[in-house]
Amino acid sequence: MTQPARRFGRYDVTILHDGVFEAPIEVLTHAAGEAARQAALMQWGQPTLRIPVKCFLLRDADGLVLVDAGTGTSWGDAYGHARAALAALGIARDEIGRILITHLHGDHALGLFDGDRPYFPKARVLVPQADLSFFSDEAKRAETPDNRRGGFAIAATLQRLYDGRVEAVSGLQEILPGIDRVPLPGHTHGQSGYLVRDAARSLLLWGDALHLETLQASDPDIGLVYDLDGATAVRSRRDILNRASREGWLVSGGHIEGFRTVGRRGDGFMLSAA
Ligand SMILES: [Zn+2]
């Protein structure tokens, strides 16, 4: 069930559950090499990774905003439940006016599409500039393995179906009232966190800065093969955990189960329910 909205600044924020992503543990990586990777796998202790998939509904006086759009119907029945969650809240798809995409991967962006039509017929879609340009680059596509080309198809479909309503975001700009972009490169080149500013306690929606909240908070050198640039992803992960703990932000993201605080623990960090 969808939890009640929580207020941050001018927005009421609701977490929408889209599904569960399952992957073999072979996708786990470690920046320090194989021995450290084996230790991380021991710590995980399960035969597969089960990763929740989330997106977010924000409501303010100007209307409704989504942060990420879920998976839609493209990846089968285990995904796409954010649509039903929106419907259960009494929200029609044409009421969504603005959609902020953290990065152009399927579990965050395929929900924008309804076959050959836009699923959200009235929405403007704000997308990281660096993702749009990378995933629209034919030379980059050609050098990317087949099984990692999803973002390229998404960029093409997005431009076609939302023609004239796609806006690129970059830098540290305020992209909507009360929402700042926070660059988190590495998982993709343009990955963007969206910081919902609040005088007391802001909320950072960090996309895929972490996929495995316990493991990667305790050791930010742990990554997944889905990180396009693993070394940069590690740096972004460490930096953002540090910054969130220092600023006292709450965090959530595409693969985090709720709202979390970030604290330091040993050499790493710990997320706690908030
Ligand atoms: Zn993801």
Side-chain angles (χ1 to χ4, degrees):
M1 271 309 288
T2 302
Q3 298 291 311
R6 280 177 66 163
R7 183 84 176 184
F8 295 92
R10 58 187 279 150
Y11 296 94
D12 289 316
V13 179
T14 304
I15 300 178
L16 303 174
H17 180 72
D18 194 62
V20 176
F21 178 72
E22 272 203 84
I25 49 175
E26 284 71 31
V27 302
L28 196 137
T29 65
H30 197 290
E34 186 55 25
R37 180 174 172 276
Q38 288 300 333
L41 291 176
M42 289 283 288
Q43 196 186 336
W44 179 253
Q46 295 165 48
T48 59
L49 304 179
R50 281 178 59 83
I51 304 173
V53 180
K54 308 287 179 180
C55 54
F56 301 86
L57 174 72
L58 281 58
R59 184 193 299 261
D60 77 348
D62 296 332
L64 299 173
V65 179
L66 285 182
V67 174
D68 287 335
T71 313
T73 56
S74 302
W75 288 5
D77 294 345
Y79 302 91
H81 304 298
R83 290 180 174 179
L86 280 177
L89 293 168
I91 294 167
R93 53 169 108 176
D94 63 2
E95 291 179 76
I96 304 293
R98 296 152 292 169
I99 302 173
L100 310 182
I101 297 294
T102 59
H103 63 292
L104 286 180
H105 277 169
D107 48 330
H108 303 260
L110 282 171
L112 292 168
F113 310 142
D114 181 21
D116 216 29
R117 288 191 314 235
Y119 186 80
F120 300 101
K122 298 201 175 141
R124 287 193 288 133
V125 185
L126 284 70
V127 184
Q129 168 72 58
D131 272 18
L132 275 180
S133 49
F134 179 84
F135 289 119
S136 302
D137 184 329
E138 179 50 39
K140 300 290 185 202
R141 198 184 82 87
E143 67 195 34
T144 301
D146 268 353
N147 60 354
R148 307 290 305 281
R149 284 185 180 168
F152 295 91
I154 291 169
T157 306
L158 176 65
Q159 299 279 17
R160 187 162 55 82
L161 300 188
Y162 286 83
D163 185 32
R165 290 189 282 139
V166 178
E167 293 172 30
V169 297
S170 59
L172 297 166
Q173 58 184 314
E174 181 182 62
I175 54 165
L176 289 181
I179 300 180
D180 295 341
R181 173 176 184 267
V182 177
L184 296 169
H187 179 60
T188 64
H189 301 308
Q191 179 171 250
S192 303
Y194 296 113
L195 181 70
V196 185
R197 293 197 317 267
D198 181 286
R201 190 165 240 198
S202 298
L203 171 69
L204 176 68
L205 302 174
W206 66 21
D208 288 6
L210 281 75
H211 290 85
L212 304 164
E213 56 179 289
T214 305
L215 207 58
Q216 287 181 295
S218 70
D219 183 353
D221 283 351
I222 296 170
L224 297 189
V225 295
Y226 312 115
D227 297 333
L228 261 179
D229 174 348
T232 304
V234 164
R235 242 185 342 266
S236 287
R237 186 155 45 246
R238 201 173 279 287
D239 287 352
I240 204 61
L241 286 163
N242 200 18
R243 190 169 171 202
S245 90
R246 202 177 59 225
E247 305 273 0
W249 292 340
L250 293 198
V251 298
S252 194
H255 306 292
I256 303 293
E257 197 52 72
F259 297 111
R260 298 283 187 260
T261 57
V262 181
R264 299 208 67 109
R265 193 177 65 171
D267 290 340
F269 300 85
M270 186 174 64
L271 304 192
S272 307

